[in-house]
Amino acid sequence: TTVKTLSTINNIEESLPETVFLRIHRSFIVSVEKITGFSPTGVRLGHQQLPVGRSYKNYMLSRLNDSVIRQQS
């Protein structure tokens, strides 16, 4: 779902629960539950591929790897 708003993405990011949403790019915030695959350069949401910004890569990989490990336990 695409959301258009006059608010900044930083303000939106601050208002969302950190455990549910993840900033992956200066233009994208995604629901962790909707992620179907990921790599250091992209995130897949079903059939849609979104890029991961360089400055978000390490944090995103850490969060998603932790999530995968918890699901496997």
Side-chain angles (χ1 to χ4, degrees), residues 4-57:
K4 293 184 181 185
T5 180
L6 296 177
S7 184
T8 67
I9 196 163
N10 287 333
N11 289 342
I12 295 168
E13 180 182 19
E14 289 174 4
S15 70
L16 295 170
E18 188 177 316
T19 57
V20 178
F21 292 92
L22 178 62
R23 179 95 177 252
I24 62 164
H25 188 276
R26 65 184 180 97
S27 301
F28 300 111
I29 298 172
V30 298
S31 169
V32 175
E33 294 177 356
K34 300 293 184 181
I35 296 173
T36 56
F38 66 94
S39 72
T41 60
V43 168
R44 192 171 52 252
L45 306 171
H47 296 292
Q48 187 172 23
Q49 183 81 13
L50 298 175
V52 173
R54 286 179 297 193
S55 61
Y56 300 95
K57 179 177 78 169

